[in-house]
Short mmCIF file of all heavy atoms in Angstrom, two decimals:
data_model
loop_
_atom_site.label_atom_id
_atom_site.label_comp_id
_atom_site.label_asym_id
_atom_site.label_seq_id
_atom_site.Cartn_x
_atom_site.Cartn_y
_atom_site.Cartn_z
N LEU A 181 -4.52 -24.72 -14.78
CA LEU A 181 -5.46 -25.22 -15.81
C LEU A 181 -6.44 -26.22 -15.23
O LEU A 181 -6.15 -26.89 -14.22
CB LEU A 181 -4.68 -25.88 -16.94
CG LEU A 181 -3.66 -24.99 -17.68
CD1 LEU A 181 -2.92 -25.80 -18.74
CD2 LEU A 181 -4.36 -23.79 -18.32
N SER A 182 -7.60 -26.36 -15.90
CA SER A 182 -8.56 -27.40 -15.54
C SER A 182 -8.00 -28.76 -15.97
O SER A 182 -6.99 -28.82 -16.69
CB SER A 182 -9.89 -27.12 -16.24
OG SER A 182 -9.66 -27.05 -17.64
N ALA A 183 -8.68 -29.83 -15.57
CA ALA A 183 -8.17 -31.18 -15.85
C ALA A 183 -7.99 -31.41 -17.35
O ALA A 183 -7.03 -32.06 -17.78
CB ALA A 183 -9.12 -32.21 -15.25
N ASP A 184 -8.89 -30.86 -18.17
CA ASP A 184 -8.78 -31.08 -19.62
C ASP A 184 -7.87 -30.04 -20.29
O ASP A 184 -7.70 -30.05 -21.51
CB ASP A 184 -10.18 -31.08 -20.28
CG ASP A 184 -10.91 -29.74 -20.09
OD1 ASP A 184 -10.30 -28.79 -19.56
OD2 ASP A 184 -12.11 -29.68 -20.44
N GLY A 185 -7.32 -29.13 -19.50
CA GLY A 185 -6.39 -28.13 -20.04
C GLY A 185 -7.05 -27.04 -20.86
O GLY A 185 -6.38 -26.20 -21.45
N LYS A 186 -8.39 -27.02 -20.88
CA LYS A 186 -9.07 -26.05 -21.74
C LYS A 186 -9.41 -24.75 -21.02
O LYS A 186 -9.79 -23.78 -21.66
CB LYS A 186 -10.38 -26.66 -22.26
CG LYS A 186 -10.16 -27.77 -23.27
CD LYS A 186 -11.51 -28.28 -23.73
CE LYS A 186 -11.43 -28.88 -25.11
NZ LYS A 186 -12.74 -28.96 -25.72
N LEU A 187 -9.31 -24.76 -19.70
CA LEU A 187 -9.67 -23.57 -18.93
C LEU A 187 -8.44 -23.11 -18.14
O LEU A 187 -7.73 -23.93 -17.56
CB LEU A 187 -10.82 -23.91 -17.99
CG LEU A 187 -11.26 -22.82 -17.01
CD1 LEU A 187 -12.79 -22.84 -16.87
CD2 LEU A 187 -10.64 -23.03 -15.62
N LEU A 223 -9.67 -26.58 -11.05
CA LEU A 223 -10.29 -27.88 -11.32
C LEU A 223 -11.81 -27.82 -11.12
O LEU A 223 -12.58 -28.38 -11.91
CB LEU A 223 -9.67 -28.95 -10.43
CG LEU A 223 -8.17 -29.23 -10.67
CD1 LEU A 223 -7.65 -30.26 -9.69
CD2 LEU A 223 -7.91 -29.70 -12.10
N GLY A 226 -13.45 -25.90 -13.96
CA GLY A 226 -13.41 -26.77 -15.15
C GLY A 226 -14.55 -27.78 -15.14
O GLY A 226 -15.25 -27.99 -16.14
N TYR A 229 -17.88 -26.12 -15.69
CA TYR A 229 -18.07 -25.69 -17.08
C TYR A 229 -18.54 -26.88 -17.92
O TYR A 229 -19.40 -26.73 -18.80
CB TYR A 229 -16.78 -25.11 -17.66
CG TYR A 229 -16.98 -24.62 -19.07
CD1 TYR A 229 -17.56 -23.38 -19.31
CD2 TYR A 229 -16.68 -25.43 -20.17
CE1 TYR A 229 -17.82 -22.93 -20.61
CE2 TYR A 229 -16.93 -25.00 -21.46
CZ TYR A 229 -17.50 -23.75 -21.68
OH TYR A 229 -17.75 -23.32 -22.95
N GLU A 230 -17.98 -28.05 -17.63
CA GLU A 230 -18.39 -29.24 -18.40
C GLU A 230 -19.90 -29.45 -18.29
O GLU A 230 -20.56 -29.80 -19.26
CB GLU A 230 -17.67 -30.48 -17.88
CG GLU A 230 -16.28 -30.62 -18.48
CD GLU A 230 -15.49 -31.74 -17.81
OE1 GLU A 230 -16.11 -32.71 -17.31
OE2 GLU A 230 -14.25 -31.62 -17.78
N HIS A 256 -11.81 -19.76 -21.16
CA HIS A 256 -11.96 -21.13 -21.66
C HIS A 256 -11.79 -21.15 -23.18
O HIS A 256 -12.29 -20.25 -23.87
CB HIS A 256 -13.35 -21.67 -21.28
CG HIS A 256 -13.47 -23.16 -21.41
ND1 HIS A 256 -13.55 -23.78 -22.63
CD2 HIS A 256 -13.50 -24.13 -20.46
CE1 HIS A 256 -13.64 -25.09 -22.43
NE2 HIS A 256 -13.61 -25.33 -21.13
N GLU A 257 -11.09 -22.19 -23.64
CA GLU A 257 -10.85 -22.33 -25.09
C GLU A 257 -12.11 -22.23 -25.92
O GLU A 257 -12.10 -21.69 -27.02
CB GLU A 257 -10.24 -23.72 -25.36
CG GLU A 257 -8.76 -23.75 -25.28
CD GLU A 257 -8.21 -25.11 -25.70
OE1 GLU A 257 -8.96 -25.97 -26.24
OE2 GLU A 257 -7.03 -25.30 -25.50
N ASP A 258 -13.22 -22.79 -25.40
CA ASP A 258 -14.46 -22.81 -26.18
C ASP A 258 -15.17 -21.46 -26.16
O ASP A 258 -16.21 -21.30 -26.79
CB ASP A 258 -15.43 -23.87 -25.62
CG ASP A 258 -14.85 -25.26 -25.77
OD1 ASP A 258 -13.85 -25.40 -26.51
OD2 ASP A 258 -15.39 -26.20 -25.14
#
Side-chain angles (χ1 to χ4, degrees):
L181 300 178
S182 56
D184 61 7
K186 290 181 153 199
L187 174 141
L223 296 177
Y229 182 81
E230 277 172 28
H256 195 286
E257 271 186 10
D258 296 348

